[in-house]
Amino acid sequence: MSKKFNSIFADDLENFVSFKKSLGLKYEKEQPRLIRLDKLLDSLELKEKKITKDTFEYITKRSGMREANYARQFAVTRDFCKYLITIGYKDIYWEDREFHIQNNHTPVIYSDEEIRMIFSVIDDHIVKSLGTNGYRLWYGMAIIIRLLWSCGLRISEVLSLKKQDIDLDQSYLRIWKSKGNRSRIVVMSESMTVCLREYLEMFCIDDSALFLNTKGREIDADSVRDYYHKIQKECYLSLSRLHDLRYPNFYKIQTFNYEMKFIRY
């Protein structure tokens, strides 16, 4: 019996996740939606592995979800039904639906002065943590936020970096199998390269995770978001998404000096 799933399709759901991962997809955000699907299937107390039209209507009911969330839930359910057909199930119904989703979010783009203020406050945190077990954590946060802003990376891409993905001599990063299962090369500015080089040398980082918390575990995305919002409040800036750091005017990346002054202390 599956640990995550309990319906008659439990093993198939597990195999569906494995199949998606075998294609190079992380398939992490979709798993809570599969658990919801499993609960709906389990509530029907099906005796046979069949999905009729009525069953499909039931397991794709909206239940008050926002349009965007419902579209994602529907897509996972539809794809699972299609998967069942490909592995040989006969009595499986599925259909497509159109969704009209509007993205009303406007990214917040900070000015040079505001960015300097953010980095200054972040670096002050590191200076104050010298000699404590939080030193590497706050130093790592500073590097993470600089990479997000200067290289236009996603938080998942930064946290997935390994030492072997970094070429300091050529000043670039290798990003593997990111959104859309695409890999790419990202160029770093000279000052970003200096910051990252000194971080790696200071903590003698091997091939494991680059960024660790005070307990020696990998820093997670939620911790970075919480820290970034704390910095915004300290700078008296309006709160914005961490993801918005990806959207500066890119010419600034080459001209803005964000060297970490505290390293010289």
Side-chain angles (χ1 to χ4, degrees):
M1 179 64 69
S2 166
K3 294 181 180 179
K4 291 182 181 178
F5 309 116
N6 300 296
S7 71
I8 192 173
F9 287 101
D11 291 339
D12 299 299
L13 285 162
E14 287 283 6
N15 292 335
F16 177 61
V17 173
S18 298
F19 168 71
K20 287 291 188 178
K21 289 184 175 181
S22 74
L23 299 177
L25 302 175
K26 294 181 180 179
Y27 218 69
E28 295 172 352
K29 294 181 179 179
E30 291 81 1
Q31 293 198 45
R33 300 185 180 106
L34 286 175
I35 291 174
R36 182 179 186 277
L37 169 61
D38 178 68
K39 289 180 179 178
L40 290 171
L41 287 168
D42 195 38
S43 69
L44 291 172
E45 298 182 350
L46 300 174
K47 303 301 181 184
E48 296 180 279
K49 290 188 175 183
K50 295 181 180 180
I51 294 181
T52 65
K53 183 176 181 179
D54 287 342
T55 300
F56 187 82
E57 290 291 336
Y58 177 76
I59 62 178
T60 57
K61 62 183 180 180
R62 185 161 181 172
S63 300
M65 283 186 282
R66 292 164 52 188
E67 183 80 356
N69 288 336
Y70 177 58
R72 297 184 185 100
Q73 180 69 44
F74 181 87
V76 167
T77 304
R78 176 204 60 204
D79 290 350
F80 176 64
C81 291
K82 292 168 69 174
Y83 166 78
L84 292 176
I85 294 173
T86 63
I87 62 174
Y89 287 98
K90 302 298 183 182
D91 300 317
I92 305 295
Y93 175 89
W94 68 274
E95 63 184 51
D96 255 329
R97 295 176 189 170
E98 290 187 6
F99 297 92
H100 303 283
I101 302 170
Q102 293 182 340
N103 184 0
N104 297 319
H105 177 75
T106 301
V108 175
I109 309 298
Y110 289 129
S111 66
D112 284 358
E113 182 180 355
E114 290 169 328
I115 288 293
R116 289 182 189 277
M117 180 166 56
I118 287 172
F119 289 152
S120 177
V121 171
I122 289 172
D123 292 352
D124 283 344
H125 285 190
I126 302 175
V127 173
K128 293 174 182 177
S129 71
L130 280 169
T132 72
N133 67 345
Y135 184 60
R136 177 171 178 173
L137 168 64
W138 304 129
Y139 202 145
M141 287 290 193
I143 294 294
I144 290 169
I145 291 175
R146 279 171 163 83
L147 286 169
L148 293 171
W149 186 84
S150 69
C151 298
L153 299 179
R154 300 175 178 88
I155 184 59
S156 60
E157 294 170 343
V158 174
L159 298 181
S160 296
L161 282 172
K162 299 292 187 292
K163 189 174 181 179
Q164 59 265 32
D165 301 328
I166 303 169
D167 191 318
L168 295 171
D169 294 330
Q170 300 297 322
S171 294
Y172 69 78
L173 306 169
R174 300 178 186 88
I175 306 299
W176 301 103
K177 295 182 178 180
S178 185
K179 187 174 182 179
N181 201 31
R182 295 187 178 93
S183 301
R184 68 187 192 280
I185 297 293
V186 176
V187 177
M188 294 185 290
S189 68
E190 181 179 352
S191 57
M192 183 70 251
T193 304
V194 170
C195 292
L196 189 52
R197 183 190 301 275
E198 295 188 346
Y199 174 76
L200 295 175
E201 291 176 352
M202 183 170 295
F203 296 103
C204 301
I205 293 172
D206 53 21
D207 293 334
S208 60
L210 296 186
F211 308 108
L212 302 178
N213 61 23
T214 55
K215 296 181 179 180
R217 298 171 183 167
E218 295 184 25
I219 294 176
D220 60 76
D222 286 339
S223 297
V224 180
R225 292 188 186 97
D226 290 344
Y227 178 67
Y228 182 58
H229 289 155
K230 176 182 177 181
I231 296 298
Q232 289 174 314
K233 291 176 181 178
E234 290 188 30
C235 294
Y236 298 100
L237 297 172
S238 57
L239 296 183
S240 65
R241 303 181 311 171
L242 183 67
H243 193 73
D244 289 352
L245 283 172
R246 297 190 66 217
Y247 303 113
N249 294 320
F250 285 100
Y251 77 89
K252 293 181 181 178
I253 293 175
Q254 301 301 325
T255 60
F256 187 84
N257 183 1
Y258 45 84
E259 181 181 358
M260 301 170 76
K261 301 298 183 184
F262 72 87
I263 294 178
R264 309 302 177 202
Y265 292 5

